Amino acid sequence: MRIKKIKFQNYRQLRKTELNLEKNTSNDLHLIIGKNGTGKTNILNAVNWCFYNDEPNLTIKQQRLPILNTNIINDVKKESEYKEVIIEILMESDAIDYIFKRTAGFRVFKNGKPINERALHEGTRFEIEVIDKDERGSNIRVYKNQDAEDFIENLIPKSVRDFYYFDGERLDNYFREATSENIKHSIFILSQIELLERLDNRLSSILKDYTREAVDCNPAIEKYQTEIIKFQKELDDIESEISECVSEINKAKDEIERCNNELKGLPNTKDLEERRKLLKELKEHKTTRLKEKKEEKDSKIFEYGIKIMLLPAIRNTINIILEKRKKKEIPPNIKNDLLEEILEIGFCKICGRELDKDSRVKIKKLIEEKKIVSVVGHKLEDIEDYLNIFLNNIVSYLPNLKKITTDIKEINIDLENIDREIIGIDKKLSGYKIDKINNFINTRMINEKLLTGKTESHGVLKNRKTKALVDLTGSEKLLEKELKKQDETLEIRKKILFCRKILNVLKKSKLKMINRTRKEIGEKTKQIFFDLIWKKGDFKDVFIDEDYMINLIDRYGNPCLGAISRAEKLLLSLSFTYALHDVSGFSSAFVIDTPVSPTDDLNRENLGNTFCQISKEKQLVLLFIPTEYSNEISKTLDPIASNKFETRFSTETKETTLEVL
Amino acid sequence: MIKNPDRLSIDRNDRKLYDEIKLFKKKTNKEKFLFAMAYGYINNVKFPIKSKDGFILNQNLIPEDKALIYSLAIKDSKSPEVLLNLQDVYTIVEGYAHAGLKLLYDESTTGVEPGSFSLKLEKEIFERIKEKENK
């Protein structure tokens, strides 16, 4: 199905214009080029408004403006005048033509006064004409309002519109926004199993009725039925929790992968900064220690330095004392007080022996000798002990000083190493946006914690589910037993069992269909992606896993979705969307706003070739800004495009016109 | 009878130098004086002081200090008899301190790089110890 024409009437700055998208070449490719603010994106909004009555790509400024063209509002002079915004989209397929028309009515005056800038919205009408081509004119079905809304919902469901009409600038978030839940939902819709879903609901309701009947025959059944309802509800709740849990696990995994990819090749700034902080603290501590050690060394040098410098003088004095003692010019080095005390107490205080007569004589003689020693002798005797202590201490001084010196050397080495490491960290960190990297690291850490927590919860929920299933089966068996007891419930029992069987088959069928669709879309995505990708050898696989996550695997077997270029992302999303179209049968055109915006020239050329390939089989409407439509892309697309338009905005009339280029 | 001095003196002009030498930071007058005295001795320089300015009272000298002061006086006068006259002892050690201080000041203020003086001192002291060990 393709868009043949879009008619705009009084829609924002598109006052009255048409966009003809006839296929004139072998490529169903249509290019619309326009500067920002010329109304290019409003073409995409108009399509959305017509189909779904909303405009998802409005800027904040546009949101404040009325949908009704402002010139029209200003032209209205009478209260009775009624104005309409109309978007009409003509679509065609091989056998059927469709005309989608949405109209919104407005009044500009109320109670004789103009309603400022915003006109008064008087309701919207939606109409779809479906024309069978074989019997043109004779078989036209018209759907209006709610019927029309239902019709479009079946034809191109609103929930999957992002896969048809998307904004290229949102592409970076495409796979994050299109996470498992969205994809699962889309696949659910695309699997077209609503019929089975409705049947499921109806059968469940019938089953309840039969059970109620059975209860009337045998009140004991009620007990088990109540239990079954209780366990079934519990099971449903658990399944819903599991689904939520899985969704959060997938989101966390996706975030972790995104962060990992963003951080690939980048330094772990958080760890490095923490290490740097630690090193700075260590440096400060070591510097203080060094200062203390140096002061200790200076103090030792000062203290011992005096004695060492005076060493010749000290040694000279000691020699003089020894010589004088030999000549008896100095008495033995015994204190007078001690000698007098020994005499008084009558025994030697050193060896403990009692003094005999000879000893007493000797001690008295010694005291006399000491008395007659010269003043010089006394002075030398007074300093002798200290001089000897100095000499002994100097011997222990050297190892002491050496120890301090070694400590200082070691601290200096440590400080050098710390400085070297800090410089290394600074080098590693220079040139990086540390806050941004830290943000990714923090996000990854949060999601890793979340993943661990949710994985644990998932396990707990699985156990609870198993238990609830056991309880449910048990109650079902007991109910059956009760039903068997009475003949009159036999018929009802058969019906109940039959309903249960069908419900089981339905559940399994739904699951099978969804899984088949998932696999088909995955395989088709892979096929299209590998057909179109320019760097063939870089990737190994594309698939949608059981959790409905799109996975892209690089040639080394690693997931790489977060690490691919924007152009590759665009290609993958196009491949996925193309596969959705192909598998679902919900065929529509691709309308892409700013499709190549931030990609480099080489990738633009590659994407140009991709658009060329796609448009051979599918209608492709691309909305470019002029800078985006560079030579690299125009040289590929210009020769093959069916149509090329430019949106021009007149500052005088404040209106947009579509010029054919 | 000659009266014994009750204090050790320095040259009046030296007080400022004692305050300025970095090595003497946080040291007492007695420690500064003894160091300057030892440094004068090790460098074999002794200048008589011209204008006396009291620096350390005798009562602040402990026996260990006296042992060092007496040893230097004996070594300089080549006789222990010098101890008979405390004034002579003080004149000798004050001369060494005066000269040693000047050297210290010059070397510490004209040092090529900070800390080099400390290193020089350390080296000198190590050599003295080695000399002692060899003896």
Side-chain angles (χ1 to χ4, degrees):
Chain A
M1 197 159 64
R2 61 184 302 285
I3 301 170
K4 203 157 75 173
K5 189 184 275 186
I6 306 172
K7 292 181 184 173
F8 307 87
Q9 191 179 317
N10 300 339
Y11 176 79
R12 297 194 176 272
Q13 69 265 61
L14 296 151
R15 186 166 181 170
K16 193 162 182 64
T17 190
E18 284 184 5
L19 182 66
N20 279 305
L21 302 172
E22 293 292 342
K23 187 181 172 190
N24 302 322
T25 66
S26 57
N27 292 74
D28 203 353
L29 176 68
H30 310 272
L31 310 170
I32 300 166
I33 299 154
K35 289 179 188 170
N36 285 329
T38 57
K40 178 173 49 64
T41 305
N42 273 343
I43 294 172
L44 187 60
N45 278 322
V47 172
N48 271 295
W49 184 74
C50 178
F51 286 160
Y52 309 112
N53 197 20
D54 71 358
E55 300 163 280
N57 300 306
L58 284 183
T59 61
I60 294 167
K61 193 182 165 192
Q62 285 169 334
Q63 280 168 19
R64 287 198 292 264
L65 291 171
I67 191 168
L68 180 64
N69 183 280
T70 44
N71 286 341
I72 295 287
I73 296 175
N74 296 333
D75 288 349
V76 173
K77 302 291 177 215
K78 291 179 201 164
E79 183 153 9
S80 58
E81 271 189 86
Y82 177 80
K83 295 291 172 189
E84 285 183 333
V85 175
I86 304 170
I87 299 291
E88 206 176 316
I89 300 174
L90 284 70
M91 292 183 85
E92 62 179 355
S93 66
D94 289 343
I96 303 169
D97 281 356
Y98 300 89
I99 302 170
F100 303 88
K101 187 177 173 186
R102 189 174 292 274
T103 311
F106 290 90
R107 285 202 190 279
V108 177
F109 281 85
K110 193 184 178 188
N111 301 330
K113 290 178 183 170
I115 310 159
N116 297 331
E117 280 203 332
R118 277 197 176 275
L120 188 67
H121 188 195
E122 291 219 325
T124 305
R125 297 191 309 278
F126 187 36
E127 202 176 286
I128 302 171
E129 277 182 44
V130 182
I131 306 153
D132 193 321
K133 277 185 184 172
D134 295 337
E135 301 163 52
R136 188 174 285 271
S138 61
N139 188 8
I140 302 175
R141 280 168 287 154
V142 179
Y143 299 89
K144 287 187 177 176
N145 302 323
Q146 192 53 51
D147 289 343
E149 307 283 0
D150 292 344
F151 186 88
I152 190 78
E153 190 58 28
N154 280 326
L155 195 68
I156 313 161
K158 187 178 176 182
S159 58
V160 294
R161 68 160 161 198
D162 282 346
F163 299 119
Y164 293 83
Y165 315 108
F166 58 89
D167 183 354
E169 283 179 350
R170 283 168 56 203
L171 194 71
D172 287 338
N173 296 326
Y174 180 89
F175 290 104
R176 235 180 303 155
E177 285 168 9
T179 43
S180 58
E181 271 311 294
N182 285 346
I183 293 168
K184 188 179 176 180
H185 184 62
S186 309
I187 289 174
F188 184 82
I189 289 166
L190 299 179
S191 302
Q192 304 194 24
I193 55 170
E194 296 101 315
L195 188 69
L196 296 185
E197 191 74 357
R198 281 204 291 272
L199 197 59
D200 190 335
N201 291 338
R202 181 77 192 112
L203 266 174
S204 299
S205 162
I206 291 170
L207 182 62
K208 270 184 194 167
D209 291 344
Y210 286 142
T211 315
R212 219 170 286 132
E213 257 181 68
V215 169
D216 291 341
C217 298
N218 176 6
I221 290 170
E222 192 175 8
K223 182 191 160 199
Y224 299 115
Q225 184 56 28
T226 315
E227 272 181 15
I228 287 170
I229 292 168
K230 190 187 118 196
F231 292 135
Q232 187 60 57
K233 191 183 177 300
E234 199 181 322
L235 200 61
D236 289 347
D237 289 348
I238 293 170
E239 269 175 356
S240 156
E241 276 183 66
I242 287 177
S243 167
E244 208 173 293
C245 197
V246 167
S247 166
E248 285 186 45
I249 286 173
N250 286 334
K251 269 185 202 165
K253 278 183 185 169
D254 188 41
E255 276 294 283
I256 292 167
E257 195 198 328
R258 183 178 70 89
C259 294
N260 280 339
N261 284 319
E262 292 283 355
L263 293 168
K264 208 173 266 180
L266 297 178
N268 187 333
T269 46
K270 204 161 183 251
D271 284 358
L272 286 173
E273 278 197 313
E274 269 170 22
R275 177 74 186 149
R276 194 175 186 282
K277 196 181 160 202
L278 192 78
L279 287 169
K280 286 266 180 192
E281 282 168 6
L282 197 64
K283 185 179 174 180
E284 208 171 295
H285 169 73
K286 291 268 178 192
T287 309
T288 312
R289 282 280 298 146
L290 183 68
K291 200 181 160 202
E292 284 168 2
K293 280 282 166 193
K294 277 186 174 171
E295 278 173 4
E296 189 187 345
K297 188 177 174 184
D298 284 348
S299 171
K300 292 267 180 233
I301 288 173
F302 195 93
E303 182 192 341
Y304 285 92
I306 296 171
K307 286 146 198 168
I308 291 165
M309 285 189 281
L310 291 171
L311 198 59
I314 292 168
R315 196 174 282 129
N316 174 60
T317 308
I318 289 171
N319 287 338
I320 289 171
I321 291 168
L322 288 173
E323 213 169 297
K324 278 190 176 288
R325 181 155 287 126
K326 260 188 207 168
K327 290 179 189 169
K328 306 253 184 202
E329 286 172 19
I330 298 176
N333 193 9
I334 306 169
K335 299 275 179 213
N336 262 3
D337 295 348
L338 179 69
L339 293 172
E340 279 164 4
E341 198 187 341
I342 290 171
L343 271 181
E344 201 181 317
I345 59 176
F347 65 90
C348 178
K349 272 191 95 176
I350 299 162
C351 66
R353 193 167 62 87
E354 205 171 316
L355 296 183
D356 55 18
K357 201 178 169 185
D358 285 350
S359 302
R360 282 185 174 274
V361 172
K362 272 183 188 169
I363 291 170
K364 278 179 187 170
K365 198 182 165 194
L366 200 57
I367 292 170
E368 282 311 307
E369 276 175 7
K370 278 176 84 71
K371 274 181 189 166
I372 57 163
V373 167
S374 66
V375 176
V376 172
H378 277 299
K379 287 202 172 180
L380 290 173
E381 190 192 359
D382 286 345
I383 63 171
E384 187 185 8
D385 286 347
Y386 300 110
L387 295 177
N388 282 319
I389 291 168
F390 291 156
L391 272 186
N392 293 331
N393 284 355
I394 285 169
V395 177
S396 66
Y397 167 70
L398 195 61
N400 206 332
L401 193 66
K402 272 186 180 168
K403 167 86 178 62
I404 300 170
T405 309
T406 311
D407 288 348
I408 290 173
K409 267 186 192 166
E410 280 172 3
I411 296 171
N412 272 323
I413 290 170
D414 287 348
L415 280 169
E416 274 174 27
N417 288 336
I418 289 168
D419 277 339
R420 207 171 297 130
E421 202 177 335
I422 290 175
I423 290 168
I425 290 171
D426 286 345
K427 265 187 191 170
K428 276 183 191 169
L429 292 175
S430 72
Y432 289 109
K433 288 178 179 168
I434 293 166
D435 287 347
K436 205 176 162 188
I437 296 175
N438 281 349
N439 239 340
F440 282 122
I441 292 171
N442 285 336
T443 310
R444 182 173 62 185
M445 207 167 69
I446 291 165
N447 279 286
E448 278 169 349
K449 273 187 190 166
L450 192 75
L451 181 63
T452 312
K454 289 290 167 190
T455 309
E456 279 171 17
S457 304
H458 189 234
V460 173
L461 285 168
K462 270 183 163 177
N463 286 339
R464 276 178 56 198
K465 186 183 170 182
T466 313
K467 193 184 166 293
L469 266 173
V470 170
D471 291 344
L472 181 67
T473 318
S475 295
E476 279 175 348
K477 277 182 184 164
L478 287 168
L479 177 68
E480 209 175 318
K481 216 172 163 185
E482 210 56 48
L483 285 167
K484 274 182 189 170
K485 281 183 186 170
Q486 284 176 281
D487 288 343
E488 60 264 42
T489 56
L490 194 65
E491 196 57 33
I492 303 168
R493 185 180 148 249
K494 273 184 190 168
K495 285 176 185 171
I496 289 173
L497 287 177
F498 181 69
C499 281
R500 282 225 188 97
K501 267 184 192 166
I502 297 178
L503 276 172
N504 273 339
V505 171
L506 270 178
K507 277 198 174 84
K508 280 179 188 162
S509 303
K510 272 197 292 184
L511 200 66
K512 262 188 188 172
M513 283 172 79
I514 291 172
N515 277 338
R516 198 178 57 213
T517 312
R518 175 176 62 81
K519 273 188 188 162
E520 269 180 48
I521 293 173
E523 279 161 18
K524 192 74 191 172
T525 307
K526 182 180 173 180
Q527 183 206 321
I528 299 165
F529 182 77
F530 279 97
D531 277 353
L532 297 175
I533 187 70
W534 40 92
K535 289 189 277 182
K536 301 278 182 203
D538 280 8
F539 306 100
K540 197 174 172 183
D541 199 8
V542 177
F543 65 93
I544 300 170
D545 63 23
E546 287 178 356
D547 295 328
Y548 298 92
M549 297 281 284
I550 297 173
N551 287 271
L552 178 65
I553 307 298
D554 67 14
R555 62 178 149 178
Y556 305 109
N558 300 317
C560 62
L561 188 58
I564 56 175
S565 72
R566 200 177 173 281
E568 288 161 342
K569 244 180 221 175
L570 180 63
L571 178 63
L572 185 61
S573 59
L574 283 174
S575 307
F576 174 64
T577 312
Y578 201 151
L580 279 179
H581 290 203
D582 208 55
V583 173
S584 66
F586 287 128
S587 179
S588 176
F590 277 137
V591 182
I592 313 173
D593 195 5
T594 50
V596 296
S597 167
T599 51
D600 59 36
D601 292 342
L602 177 66
N603 280 330
R604 282 183 184 189
E605 206 174 323
N606 291 326
L607 281 172
N609 291 327
T610 301
F611 296 142
C612 178
Q613 292 289 318
I614 290 175
S615 61
K616 278 181 185 162
E617 292 175 25
K618 200 157 185 66
Q619 189 182 28
L620 192 55
V621 182
L622 303 175
L623 310 161
F624 289 98
I625 51 170
T627 49
E628 191 187 12
Y629 198 67
S630 59
N631 283 340
E632 287 72 25
I633 199 145
S634 63
K635 71 181 178 193
T636 316
L637 300 188
D638 276 354
I640 58 155
S642 283
N643 289 294
K644 190 175 171 189
F645 303 95
E646 188 184 355
T647 51
R648 287 187 192 157
F649 182 73
S650 159
T651 46
E652 278 177 32
T653 61
K654 307 274 183 209
E655 280 171 17
T656 294
T657 50
L658 283 163
E659 305 290 337
V660 178
L661 295 174
Chain B
M1 192 183 159
I2 301 163
K3 201 184 166 190
N4 274 338
D6 67 341
R7 68 194 65 188
L8 275 164
S9 300
I10 56 168
D11 193 285
R12 199 169 295 280
N13 295 326
D14 285 351
R15 193 173 283 276
K16 202 177 150 223
L17 303 188
Y18 274 111
D19 291 338
E20 280 180 21
I21 293 173
K22 217 176 162 186
L23 184 73
F24 288 164
K25 213 175 151 190
K26 292 183 189 170
K27 302 288 181 201
T28 62
N29 278 359
K30 189 173 76 182
E31 286 167 333
K32 290 176 191 176
F33 181 89
L34 290 177
F35 195 91
M37 173 191 92
Y39 201 66
Y41 167 69
I42 200 87
N43 286 287
N44 206 20
V45 283
K46 185 177 73 175
F47 304 138
I49 52 174
K50 289 171 190 164
S51 161
K52 280 194 173 192
D53 186 7
F55 202 51
I56 308 154
L57 287 171
N58 286 354
Q59 63 200 46
N60 292 331
L61 294 173
I62 56 172
E64 283 92 332
D65 304 328
K66 286 178 187 166
L68 294 172
I69 290 168
Y70 291 173
S71 291
L72 178 56
I74 293 167
K75 180 74 179 168
D76 182 75
S77 64
K78 297 184 179 68
S79 163
E81 300 306 315
V82 71
L83 299 184
L84 289 170
N85 187 344
L86 193 60
Q87 184 58 62
D88 288 347
V89 171
Y90 279 14
T91 304
I92 291 168
V93 296
E94 283 166 357
Y96 276 117
H98 179 46
L101 180 75
K102 287 229 174 322
L103 267 183
L104 277 170
Y105 182 78
D106 288 346
E107 289 183 21
S108 65
T109 51
T110 57
V112 184
E113 53 194 77
S116 63
F117 180 59
S118 282
L119 285 173
K120 189 191 160 202
L121 264 181
E122 187 187 340
K123 202 178 156 197
E124 209 161 282
I125 290 164
F126 269 105
E127 276 168 12
R128 300 289 164 196
I129 292 169
K130 273 183 201 163
E131 272 173 32
K132 182 189 178 294
E133 281 171 345
N134 292 336
K135 276 181 187 173

